Amino acid sequence: MARPKSAFHDLKRDEILDVAAQCFARQSFPAASMNDIATACGTSKARLYHYYESKEAILFDLLDRYTQRLLALIGEAEARAQRKNLNERDALHELVRAFLAEYETSATRHVALLSDTKFLGEVQRELILNRQRDVVAAFTRFLRRAYPQRVTPVNQTALTMMLFGMINWTFTWLRPGGEMSYSAFAEEVVTLLEKGLG
């Protein structure tokens, strides 16, 4: 009978994924090697292979867990909106806040999602892309419900992508501990949605 994997094993995997995401963001996925990741983890390459058979396996686990987390945030936002009896606009605003709070602590994972999905095998890549599409579809639903007069079948894709354009690339310029916090930026996004720049 196979021995069950311990919580320590999963904890170690989480640590490896954190370090690997940093390596991929710093060096790029193609340039980072298993040896680079092992060194950054403070372990041997042989020990790293105990957890992952390849760099591609690390990337897939990283993106698999991260996209599941993003979908879970959507489910949590919907549940919170129901529990708090929020109106549709406040529900969208809560979703924006939740995503930016996540982005604050997972910038390197987000870089991997936006830059490295193309390096996965076809089946794995399609799974991750489908989850990204699910995230976009959920944001579109939230937007449509929040602003039914403004968001139409003709412009809903453009407006959803405009919102993602505001929040998805924060890792390139918004720094934890910088002049503006992620939570303050979330409030700017919410204000822009509600009032525009006027």
Side-chain angles (χ1 to χ4, degrees), residues 70-193:
L70 295 180
L71 289 172
L73 285 176
I74 292 164
E76 290 164 15
E78 289 174 332
R80 194 167 42 255
Q82 281 189 335
R83 191 174 59 251
K84 292 181 172 182
N85 200 24
L86 299 178
N87 67 43
E88 300 295 359
R89 288 188 179 187
D90 288 340
L92 172 64
H93 302 162
E94 285 296 303
L95 181 63
V96 167
R97 290 180 184 110
F99 264 63
L100 282 165
E102 177 65 29
Y103 289 172
E104 181 175 13
T105 59
S106 57
T108 55
R109 290 172 189 258
H110 201 67
V111 171
L113 180 62
L114 296 175
S115 304
D116 300 331
T117 302
K118 63 187 172 210
F119 297 113
L120 294 173
E122 186 178 342
V123 172
Q124 293 176 333
R125 183 173 61 247
E126 199 56 33
L127 177 85
I128 299 304
L129 290 174
N130 280 336
R131 287 198 189 133
Q132 286 181 288
R133 291 178 190 114
D134 289 344
V135 168
V136 170
F139 264 81
T140 301
R141 282 194 309 275
F142 272 79
L143 264 173
R144 252 195 338 252
R145 291 191 303 237
Y147 304 99
Q149 307 304 319
R150 179 73 178 93
V151 182
T152 68
V154 173
N155 69 8
Q156 66 184 13
T157 300
L159 293 177
T160 303
M161 291 300 109
M162 191 182 303
L163 176 54
F164 273 119
M166 284 193 285
I167 68 172
N168 260 6
W169 297 92
T170 50
F171 67 86
T172 64
W173 64 273
L174 187 58
R175 299 284 173 260
E179 286 183 26
M180 177 178 278
S181 68
Y182 272 75
S183 60
F185 178 67
E187 296 313 311
E188 291 292 343
V189 173
V190 166
T191 301
L192 191 61
L193 286 170

Side-chain angles (χ1 to χ4, degrees), residues 33-98:
S33 67
M34 287 292 273
N35 198 48
D36 294 329
I37 297 166
T39 300
C41 285
T43 192
S44 67
K45 194 158 67 163
R47 184 84 175 133
L48 184 59
Y49 277 112
H50 171 73
Y51 290 94
Y52 290 101
E53 64 190 27
S54 67
K55 184 173 68 165
E56 290 74 15
I58 293 173
L59 178 63
F60 176 67
D61 196 21
L62 174 75
L63 298 181
D64 182 45
R65 291 178 189 219
Y66 185 56
T67 52
Q68 286 185 59
R69 174 67 186 139
L70 295 180
L71 289 172
L73 285 176
I74 292 164
E76 290 164 15
E78 289 174 332
R80 194 167 42 255
Q82 281 189 335
R83 191 174 59 251
K84 292 181 172 182
N85 200 24
L86 299 178
N87 67 43
E88 300 295 359
R89 288 188 179 187
D90 288 340
L92 172 64
H93 302 162
E94 285 296 303
L95 181 63
V96 167
R97 290 180 184 110

